Structure formats: C-alpha cells, structure tokens
Amino acid sequence: MTDLLQYEREYWNEYIHIAGIDEVGRGCLFGDVVAAAVILPQGSSWKVSMIRRS
C-alpha cells in the first residue's frame, strides 16, 4: 500500500499546519462549486485509510 502521508511527512518539519483540500462541481457556468479543507494534527488518531475521496 502506498504511504498516504508521504507528502505531509516531508513538510511537517517545516510547517505546523498542512491542509488537504478538494472541490466538487461543474464550474461557475453550469452550477455551484463546493470546496472543503481539513487539517489533521500530526500524530492524529484518525486512520487515513478511513478517509475517502469522491
């Protein structure tokens, strides 16, 4: 299995917060666009494998 936190581990030494972002929608010409961001603390008890992409 690929390390899902590969990029985060690289930058945790330099930054305190790293946000994961995603958007969904068809664009402003065809309807609404929704964006969201989440910041999980380093060493969080969340299991990254439980977070799914749409």
Side-chain angles (χ1 to χ4, degrees):
M1 183 172 168
T2 305
D3 181 8
L4 298 177
L5 294 175
Q6 174 185 352
Y7 298 110
E8 287 81 355
R9 289 185 212 288
E10 183 177 333
Y11 290 107
W12 267 327
N13 295 327
E14 298 178 41
Y15 301 99
I16 297 171
H17 302 290
I18 300 173
I21 60 172
D22 199 5
E23 54 78 26
V24 65
R26 296 180 182 226
C28 60
L29 296 176
F30 300 104
D32 297 335
V33 174
V34 177
V38 64
I39 298 174
L40 297 177
Q42 184 177 4
S44 174
S45 62
W46 279 82
K47 293 183 180 178
V48 176
S49 61
M50 295 176 64
I51 301 172
R52 300 186 187 271
R53 275 200 67 184
S54 56

